[in-house]
Amino acid sequence: MAAMRLKARFAGPLQGTARPPGDKSISHRALIMGALAEGRTRIESLLEGDDVHHTAKAVRLLGAKVERMDDGIWVVDGAGGFSQPTETIDCGNSGTGARLLIGAAASYKLSARFDGDQSLRKRPMNRVIAPLSQMGARFDSPQNKLPLIVHGGALKGITYRSPVSSAQVKSAVLLAGLHAEGETVLVEPERSRDHTERMLKVFGANIDQVEVDGSLHPRVRPGALKGVDIYVPGDPSSAAFPVAAALIVGKSEVRVEDMLVNPLRLGFFETLLEMGANIVYEETRDPIGEPIANLVVKASKLRGASPPAKRAPAMIDEFPILAAVAAFADGETRITGAAELRVKESDRITLMVEGLRACGVEAEELPDGLVVNGRGPKSVRGGAEIRTHGDHRIAMSFLILGLASKEPVTVDDADMIATSFPGFEPFMQNLGADIVAL
Ligand code: S3P
């Protein structure tokens, strides 16, 4: 079937209130921990995107009962651990699903085959194979990529110094550590998102922090998880798109409700404030060990910014949309410390630079980032068809750019948007955006 193409064009200011879909990171974790727990976990506002659906199917194959109720609540009856699956576990497009599930599965006596789509098959898995092998798991993985088979069981805890700041690596190791002998500690260069640590606490795991090399790092010791009720806040990585649109489309004012405001996810919003964005946070609350707030965003005159490289993990998924916003700012935006972008769903550095240039924006690749030379509001020509390589965030970023460009922007494949932001098109249309299928 041919991919769906979407076209975005300027149609006046964006206005209104919207609640972004549930956070993807928290949704995967709720399903996985619910499946590892004893008893019932009820999940409200789970992200019903393709990536998370793959994880729901995966944990069913690994022994849990998972059901979506008529009121939209997802109920997981955990078996207190994983058991031998009867077929290959297909993680679809999701690196998070794959790496977290491989980590959790590695600590049980089973052999499980994991696979994914064309994009996921290209992504590095050695980053989880290496620590899990040190803990005692065995892998059949000729290329250190998917498809692979993990032979799990009888793991020993380790202190792992991860070469990358990756919450997926951290989570794989910590989840494996839940069912390993002794303690497992994960040390990373810069702190990555900490949803696994926060949620493990809620599930009653034996988790705390220890000092290693002068800073605190998470440590787990074996112990059972108990089913709980989880509320999934709106995803800041999805909210980033309407927020960006409101900033760059003149006279817009958008209210985003119920967004996760975990500080380790706010690098993009922090950078926008440095660029001069008019964003006000309202009513912070914390019902589930994760802070949540409403945001009011108004169209703003922006200037270029160079976020510090150490901020990269806190905004890793938002660099494509930041690069799009930077085209409408005055002056240079320099993104560094983001080499990880090259091993996401696509090489996001190459695709962003290529797409920006096609839209008449001056941009240049760096080995670990990119430079965008913004020329202010109304400066972007647009008028291009963008190659997305099936990457959801590249597609959404260029559609947002199209809303403020002189000529419409088309993306060649919008199907993958459903992996993280199902309903993106009607969501943006409700705010007044002109985005149509071709
Ligand atoms: C995620 C971690 C990040 C992020 C991804 C979700 C997670 O990946 O890009 O979208 O939920 O743990 P890395 O761990 O590879 O940085």
Side-chain angles (χ1 to χ4, degrees), residues 16-33:
T17 297
R19 198 265 186 198
D23 186 71
K24 182 152 69 73
S25 294
I26 293 182
S27 295
H28 283 295
R29 286 159 174 81
L31 287 171
I32 295 171
M33 290 184 205

Side-chain angles (χ1 to χ4, degrees), residues 24-25 29 96 127 166-168 193 316-317 340 344:
K24 182 152 69 73
S25 294
R29 286 159 174 81
T96 307
R127 52 183 59 197
S166 159
Q168 295 178 3
R193 64 190 69 189
I316 193 66
D317 293 334
E340 279 289 301
K344 292 292 176 191

